[in-house]
Amino acid sequence: MSVRLPSARGELRDARDRLVASDPGGTRLRQAARATVVVASTLVVERVVAWALGAQPLMLMLLGAIVTIPMSTGIRDTRGALVLRTAVLSPVASAVGVSLAVIAGQQHVLGLVLFVIVVFTAVWVRRFGPRWFHYGFLLWQSYFFALFLSPPVSALPSLLVAVVCATVWVALLLATVLHDDPEARLRRTITALRARARAVVSTCLDVLDDPGDRGARRALRAHRIQLGEAVLLLDGQLSDERALPDGVPPGRLRRWIVDFEIGMDRLCSAVLDLAADPGSVPRRQQTEVRDVLRQVAWAHPEAALAGVQRLEREGATPVSRRIARAGRLLVDTVDQWDSGALRLGPDAEEAHDSQDGDFESVVRLTGGNLPGVASLAERSVRSDGAGRWSPSRLRLTTRQAIQAGTAAALAILAGELISSQRYYWAVIAAFVGFAGTATAGETLRKGVARVFGTVAGLVVAVGLANLTADTSTLALVTTLACVFLAFYLQAVSYGAMIFFITVLLGQLYTMLHSLVDQLLLIRLEETAIGALIGIGVSFLVLPAGTRATLRAARAAFLEHLADLLEAAADALSAQDPRRDLLALTIELDAASRQVLRTERGLTYGRFFGAVRTGIRHRVTMLGVCAAAGRALAAALSTERPTSTPLADTCRELVAECRRLSAARQLYPPPELPEGTLPVAERVEPLLATAEREAGGPAPKPTATVTSLVAILRRLTQALTLLGHEPSRRQRPFTGVGGSAGTGGASPRRRSQ
């Protein structure tokens, strides 16, 4: 039974899914709405303050609105007390920035020197945590915008009153009407997870329709990566008890999340195998497979389950049975959430409370978002055994503060040559390249995006200025729209954010009656030279190399995989694992995401295809390892057979993980020590023994052991391929099962 919807309804359904899936938890939408509400309401507050002080209103309104934007986006605590605690020092940071700019700005050279010091300080204080990242950015933004407005010293008291009133007002908003409910956010994230799963299934159908379409496979890989990120977001939210639905313990919800991801792993793996060999399934049954995929994604659970059962009954081939089993797992898992089956009954609550009393989230969210690669970059540059004055002893925040200060000083010198009055645009372009980045590759990408966003924004800004020059209301509405769109698109495209910020600045110049075409050209020149300086400094001054960071990411991934395999060996030896297998699975997913995130920065802009292909081949194999590790942990957390050969297999794989982790290079692959057999040759006899024992007369859980043998064999193949050097003509494995975008199907067949 096909459940294909009419085209109009189908397009509407897909559009809604894309919107929900693009913003798990509604984080970007709420951030954009918060920024817009904060700016609009602060303009009203500052208008009242200006009237009360008898001051010029426009300057106070603009300053108050600009300095409170970092508060609306930087303070993301979900507890009102923590919001107020962070907000206490916000007026101080803003007041210091404004005071320094107004006083030092009267002496040009002093203002320039102080600008460099402010830039250094704003970056250096990030070592104290996200709260100080906010304070540093607020200090810098207040200093810059006060320079932009160039007020006289006599206006300083009114400016300080405006800053304090604005920051106090925003703190009250964030603690009350703009408060984010943790449970509602978790439910929105689960809705996004399911929308991303439907996007994966839709792309699976595209792959089956045209198995030779590489674009469909790349889209499947991208959607699978996005689904993995939603899984990590959910785990990060489990640490907040207020986010959990009533009666649902965090450990149980974590198991639900992992089961959901494993179901998607198996489905993608089977679909790719079917696409690789369509002749293995009769044409009529291929139609049934497509209908089952549609039913699993969009039909009622009862209809989906009936379709799965029909596919299992009607002479299914091995690959179609795999699709049916994956579909059944997904339908059952989703039904657990929809039906409320995850809630505990009164008799089970006490037992589960004791089990989940020491629950700890694996993922540490930063402002509600997944963390970047800063910790890995710091690991790659620090060396505790270095000499006292060695740069390798410096923390990453100190290195970036030196980089930012150096870039600011050079940008001032270059910017002064272009315009002695507008040099600060060059400083901004150089400074923001070090905000939210950890490696030279990330700074490069951000600098390029800033230049292109500025160019496009200037073109639009000129056209809009002609429309809004005589209508302040229209200019204000356009400014608020730019604020919303800039922060809504910030996480999607930095270039798009800069585009709308540039349009916004054009409107500010229009309201100040100082917009001329020559001024916009100066901004473009200053931005380009500042971005170029920031990129150059990131590569030449105390650089945190992307390649070194990728080595650290790979080593961390293999260490987490070794930990999971050690816990699996304990379980297979009838011992209690020292750590929770499901928590180790989430750690492995998080490490896999970091590998992929770092690899994107490494290959950006490179033209050395052989090296890039080799590195991507290894990243792909790490993704296969992630999928196999996830399946292993899930199998053992359900049923724990005792099998000495499988336990020994896990220990052999632990040794191989640590050997690969210790490799100094990313490419070519490390060589085996002399006299050492490849891991596949060491492991295969153990797996064969386990298979024989599972088929013998002893009362063993045969199906579980057979499944574990298949998982460990797949993991062995992936680790073996990490030591395999693909030729330039060879297309690397392109599966989609792991968090890094791969996994599931047999890597041997697909990569050779």
Side-chain angles (χ1 to χ4, degrees), residues 582-603:
L582 293 182
L584 291 170
T585 300
I586 298 295
E587 285 184 356
L588 193 65
D589 279 353
S592 182
R593 172 184 173 270
Q594 297 292 58
V595 169
L596 183 68
R597 181 185 174 101
T598 311
E599 185 261 347
R600 280 202 297 260
L602 177 69
T603 58

Side-chain angles (χ1 to χ4, degrees), residues 557-578:
F557 174 89
L558 291 169
E559 288 167 7
H560 287 304
L561 180 58
D563 290 342
L564 189 150
L565 288 168
E566 281 188 329
D570 290 341
L572 290 165
S573 301
Q575 303 176 25
D576 288 331
R578 286 167 290 179

Side-chain angles (χ1 to χ4, degrees), residues 676-731:
T676 302
L677 291 174
V679 64
E681 296 183 26
R682 302 198 307 270
V683 162
E684 189 56 39
L686 296 171
L687 294 177
T689 302
E691 286 180 313
R692 287 195 301 271
E693 290 182 356
K700 289 180 177 294
T702 305
T704 302
V705 171
T706 302
S707 174
L708 291 173
V709 168
I711 293 168
L712 291 173
R713 183 168 281 134
R714 186 164 67 244
L715 180 55
T716 302
Q717 291 171 349
L719 290 173
T720 301
L721 287 173
L722 283 173
H724 168 68
E725 184 171 350
S727 65
R728 294 191 60 143
R729 294 184 180 180
Q730 187 177 46
R731 182 167 64 88

Side-chain angles (χ1 to χ4, degrees), residues 343-360:
R343 292 188 175 91
L344 295 176
D347 296 337
E349 286 184 4
E350 185 175 349
H352 275 272
D353 285 343
S354 62
Q355 292 177 8
D356 288 320
D358 57 350
F359 178 88
E360 185 176 355

Side-chain angles (χ1 to χ4, degrees), residues 70 136 248 291 411 546 646:
V248 180
D291 283 343
T546 311
L646 291 184

Side-chain angles (χ1 to χ4, degrees), residues 21-36:
S22 67
D23 185 18
T27 303
R28 291 192 292 110
L29 179 62
R30 292 187 63 85
Q31 176 176 292
R34 285 171 59 161
T36 307

